[in-house]
Amino acid sequence: MGLTAISLEIPKVPKVDDERLRCKVFGKTLKHPLGLAAGFDKDGIALEAWENLGFSFVEVGTVTPLPQKGNAPPRLFRLVEDEALINRMGFNNEGIDALLGKLEERTVTIPVGVNIGKNRETPIEKAFEDYEICLKKIRGVCDYVVINVSSPNTPGLRELQKKSHLENLLASLKKIAPNERIFLKISPDSSDQELKEISEIARKLEISGFVATNTTTAREGLNSPLQNEEGGLSGKPLRSRASEVCKKLRMYAGEEMEIIGVGGIFTGMDLFERLRDGANACQIFTALVYRGPAAVALILQELIECMEQKGISSIEEIRKSASRCPS
């Protein structure tokens, strides 16, 4: 299922519209808690298609100040035996100016978030300048902004998650756009201590919340012969760790911050559990590859069935249905 094909010819898929699925995140009331993760539509060329596929919100990007080609192909691998993907795309995108035009002209009614990053050639000590450039251009023309400092495919990028860099970066961005809803995308490979420090900084600077999580460099328990390809792993093998990070962030950051859960969500039960773990809403990426254009409808119908079996009548009830303490 290619992005170009989707943007040119929108598949006809069933829609699920049920009052029990309504939820609130980034200041909006969503029809349901399932959105599209960043990375699928980096340049916002298929916004109408995502709405028609049933997503309640979409995150575009990662976008950088200048256009860049990303890493050399092959750079995307399907690990069929594990229902996973490995990608080493490297922030391939047309640049912030090209995306800005699409955002200003969009006609879709679902919320659109923008995931921003630095250009590969920008040194870490000047990375904040790239994020500032992107934020200055898109503030006010999207519904939320995600600061991507956790991709494993740009050398040195994860250094920006460290306390010594992160506090200064987020402080500069909050100063530029104090009223913008800013989220931080977290690595699943972060230690407990790093998650605590990140949560403390986020609370101190009053950013809106987290996207948890990005792809992982871990390879434990895989069966595919492609498992040793370099890049970030997504899909079912990430589910357990992404869930754990979600629970820990909720515990460390408190209830006032919002969490968008992503990583290994394939079924309605996966979605139910991530909401119970503390997410306010969730995103899919790899599930769309494996379950096809009807993925959203299938997952939502499974979620409703799960809610009915458990006697739960709202998304907020799911979120209140379990302890948030990590195991």
Side-chain angles (χ1 to χ4, degrees), residues 101-113:
K102 296 183 181 71
L103 291 175
E104 291 174 334
E105 296 170 359
R106 73 184 188 273
T107 58
V108 295
T109 61
I110 59 173
V112 178

Side-chain angles (χ1 to χ4, degrees), residues 58-289:
V58 57
E59 189 175 312
V60 298
T62 298
V63 66
T64 54
L66 299 175
Q68 62 181 28
K69 294 182 179 180
N71 296 321
R75 55 191 183 184
L76 180 64
F77 307 89
R78 189 180 296 206
L79 282 64
V80 177
E81 297 86 347
D82 302 295
E83 292 187 90
L85 299 173
I86 290 176
N87 92 81
R88 51 173 181 260
M89 305 302 286
F91 290 173
N92 55 308
N93 73 102
E94 296 177 356
I96 189 65
D97 289 332
L99 176 60
L100 181 60
K102 296 183 181 71
L103 291 175
E104 291 174 334
E105 296 170 359
R106 73 184 188 273
T107 58
V108 295
T109 61
I110 59 173
V112 178
V114 177
N115 185 303
I116 62 175
K118 81 172 191 72
N119 281 110
R120 184 185 180 93
E121 301 305 319
T122 303
I124 288 297
E125 58 271 20
K126 292 189 176 182
F128 72 94
E129 296 177 1
D130 279 12
Y131 290 94
E132 288 180 351
I133 290 169
C134 290
L135 183 58
K136 285 177 180 177
K137 292 193 174 186
I138 60 169
R139 59 186 173 184
V141 296
C142 60
D143 295 284
Y144 68 96
V145 179
V146 178
I147 312 304
N148 189 347
V149 293
S150 55
S151 170
N153 298 320
T154 295
L157 187 73
R158 288 186 171 184
E159 288 295 309
L160 295 174
Q161 279 196 148
K162 294 184 177 179
K163 187 175 182 180
S164 56
H165 292 291
L166 186 61
E167 188 162 3
N168 290 334
L169 172 62
L170 293 180
S172 70
L173 297 179
K174 282 290 290 185
K175 186 176 181 180
I176 289 171
N179 299 318
E180 201 74 27
R181 295 182 184 275
I182 295 176
F183 287 74
L184 185 68
K185 191 155 189 176
I186 302 293
S187 166
D189 305 320
S190 300
S191 68
D192 283 5
Q193 182 59 34
E194 288 171 331
L195 293 175
K196 288 180 182 178
E197 289 178 352
I198 290 168
S199 298
E200 289 170 1
I201 293 169
R203 292 181 68 179
K204 175 183 175 182
L205 296 174
E206 298 181 334
I207 70 166
S208 296
F210 306 102
V211 178
T213 66
N214 213 316
T215 57
T216 180
T217 57
R219 296 291 189 269
E220 289 83 3
L222 299 180
N223 298 304
S224 171
L226 297 172
Q227 63 182 273
N228 293 320
E229 291 289 346
E230 292 185 4
L233 175 76
S234 65
K236 284 191 174 181
L238 180 56
R239 179 170 53 208
S240 178
R241 179 55 185 168
S243 175
E244 185 179 3
V245 170
C246 183
K247 286 189 283 188
K248 289 181 176 179
L249 284 173
R250 179 56 70 202
M251 182 175 68
Y252 300 147
E255 289 296 324
E256 68 275 12
M257 299 192 74
E258 296 179 333
I259 298 175
I260 301 173
V262 57
I265 297 171
F266 270 62
T267 68
M269 178 58 78
D270 296 337
L271 179 54
F272 181 96
E273 291 177 348
R274 199 63 53 87
L275 293 166
R276 188 183 58 190
D277 290 339
N280 298 83
C282 294
Q283 296 171 330
I284 60 171
F285 183 107
T286 308
L288 186 61
V289 174

Side-chain angles (χ1 to χ4, degrees), residues 14-24 29-34 54 56 271 296-297 299-308 312-318:
K15 302 287 178 60
V16 177
D17 189 3
D18 192 308
E19 288 289 337
R20 293 172 292 181
L21 300 182
R22 304 291 185 261
C23 64
K24 291 184 178 181
T29 297
L30 306 182
K31 288 185 176 180
H32 59 76
L34 197 57
S56 66
L271 179 54
V296 175
I299 293 171
L300 292 178
Q301 191 55 54
E302 292 163 358
L303 175 62
I304 291 171
E305 292 170 3
C306 182
M307 291 169 67
E308 290 175 344
I312 291 176
S313 59
S314 71
I315 297 302
E316 191 58 30
E317 252 188 273
I318 297 175

